[in-house]
Amino acid sequence: AQKVTQAQTEISVVEKEDVTLDCVYETRDTTYYLFWYKQPPSGELVFLIRRNSFDEQNEISGRYSWNFQKSTSSFNFTITASQVVDSAVYFCALRSSNTGKLIFGQGTTLQVKP
Amino acid sequence: DVKVTQSSRYLVKRTGEKVFLECVQDMDHENMFWYRQDPGLGLRLIYFSYDVKMKEKGDIPEGYSVSREKKERFSLILESASTNQTSMYLCASSTDRQGNRSFFGQGTRLTVV
């Protein structure tokens, strides 16, 4: 069975704080893909990053960084120096190479206060 | 830029009505998906399609059906709407089965009264 767990339902931080959103996944596939999406209040999901199961290199994009660890089946997302515009719901997702299904976690609502 | 368009942003329907949610993508994507989003449950896959006239059940297909007569259009059908189908519905498309990203529509908030 495939599953994605985002244990943090809601996180509230003050602007300029760093914040990490956790994501733990389960799959028996050897080839799979992990994603992070952002859902602002407008509702449309915005793609942030994709990682395949063979690439454990961490990635940094501006204030965003991602830590992929196969040993712990985790794909955590860190926002450095958070801003009010980062307030949104963030989803972690897993895609199986066999079925193509994209399975989402429950989502983490991030509120960044000024 | 890829565009996934859902026909309605907000919809209110009565219990027992047949409801059609339409989704159109403009980038010739093979794959299309329908999800529903509920608080605390994230996005759950209802149905998906890899090609015209092909469909596969997702995790929560009960009470829903789909239609894909043309590559660019994927319709979600609620045969007899019920109040527990009140939710946000999101359509997505992608190029193939593998790791390519999915593009999402803006969502349809359906209320069944």
Side-chain angles (χ1 to χ4, degrees), chain A residues 31 33 35 37 39 41-45 47 50 91 95-107, chain B residues 9 33 35 37 40-43 45 48 50 57-59 90 94 96-106:
Chain A
T31 302
Y33 303 85
F35 300 80
Y37 283 86
Q39 186 181 42
S42 60
E44 187 169 337
L45 270 73
F47 168 80
R50 177 192 67 195
F91 290 98
R95 168 169 282 147
S96 164
S97 63
N98 293 328
T99 67
K101 290 169 60 174
L102 186 62
I103 305 299
F104 283 83
Q106 301 90 324
Chain B
R9 193 68 193 267
F33 306 83
Y35 295 88
Q37 181 180 1
L41 298 177
L43 276 72
L45 183 62
F48 58 111
Y50 293 134
K57 293 180 180 179
D59 299 316
L90 289 159
S94 67
D96 60 28
R97 293 192 184 204
Q98 298 300 319
N100 285 353
R101 55 177 283 200
S102 293
F103 294 82
F104 284 81
Q106 77 277 29

Side-chain angles (χ1 to χ4, degrees), chain B residues 52-91:
Chain B
V52 176
K53 296 192 185 295
M54 294 183 68
K55 61 183 179 184
E56 292 197 29
K57 293 180 180 179
D59 299 316
I60 51 165
E62 296 78 19
Y64 303 94
S65 62
V66 291
S67 172
R68 192 156 181 210
E69 297 296 319
K70 294 185 178 181
K71 193 174 186 179
E72 67 271 17
R73 186 180 296 271
F74 192 35
S75 303
L76 180 69
I77 304 160
L78 287 65
E79 295 290 342
S80 178
S82 63
T83 55
N84 62 14
Q85 292 179 308
T86 292
S87 186
M88 169 71 88
Y89 290 87
L90 289 159
C91 175

Side-chain angles (χ1 to χ4, degrees), chain A:
Chain A
Q2 296 183 310
K3 187 178 179 182
V4 177
T5 301
Q6 294 178 254
Q8 304 151 308
T9 304
E10 292 184 18
I11 300 176
S12 181
V13 299
V14 177
E15 205 168 20
K16 297 185 183 178
E17 283 186 31
D18 298 347
V19 58
T20 295
L21 283 59
D22 298 332
C23 173
V24 175
Y25 63 92
E26 297 174 27
T27 181
R28 294 178 182 174
D29 293 343
T30 55
T31 302
Y32 52 89
Y33 303 85
L34 296 164
F35 300 80
W36 275 96
Y37 283 86
K38 174 182 179 180
Q39 186 181 42
S42 60
E44 187 169 337
L45 270 73
V46 177
F47 168 80
L48 295 178
I49 192 171
R50 177 192 67 195
R51 261 289 172 266
N52 71 53
S53 51
F54 299 108
D55 182 5
E56 286 194 72
Q57 189 172 11
N58 292 328
E59 181 157 337
I60 298 175
S61 176
R63 296 184 296 106
Y64 295 171
S65 62
W66 290 269
N67 183 358
F68 176 28
Q69 292 195 349
K70 285 180 77 172
S71 60
T72 56
S73 297
S74 65
F75 186 42
N76 296 337
F77 172 31
T78 297
I79 301 174
T80 302
S82 60
Q83 299 176 3
V84 173
V85 294
D86 295 326
S87 297
V89 182
Y90 290 86
F91 290 98
C92 179
L94 165 71
R95 168 169 282 147
S96 164
S97 63
N98 293 328
T99 67
K101 290 169 60 174
L102 186 62
I103 305 299
F104 283 83
Q106 301 90 324
T108 297
T109 300
L110 173 65
Q111 183 181 28
V112 182
K113 298 178 181 178

Side-chain angles (χ1 to χ4, degrees), chain B residues 3-62:
Chain B
K3 190 77 172 174
V4 179
T5 303
Q6 295 182 228
S7 54
S8 303
R9 193 68 193 267
Y10 299 95
L11 214 50
V12 180
K13 295 292 182 181
R14 295 192 180 278
T15 300
E17 275 193 76
K18 189 169 186 176
V19 182
F20 292 86
L21 302 184
E22 306 286 348
C23 176
V24 177
Q25 49 95 1
D26 65 359
M27 284 300 290
D28 204 37
H29 285 173
E30 293 83 8
N31 302 332
M32 296 189 75
F33 306 83
W34 274 107
Y35 295 88
R36 65 176 282 177
Q37 181 180 1
D38 300 288
L41 298 177
L43 276 72
R44 292 179 292 166
L45 183 62
I46 305 171
Y47 267 97
F48 58 111
S49 169
Y50 293 134
D51 203 348
V52 176
K53 296 192 185 295
M54 294 183 68
K55 61 183 179 184
E56 292 197 29
K57 293 180 180 179
D59 299 316
I60 51 165
E62 296 78 19

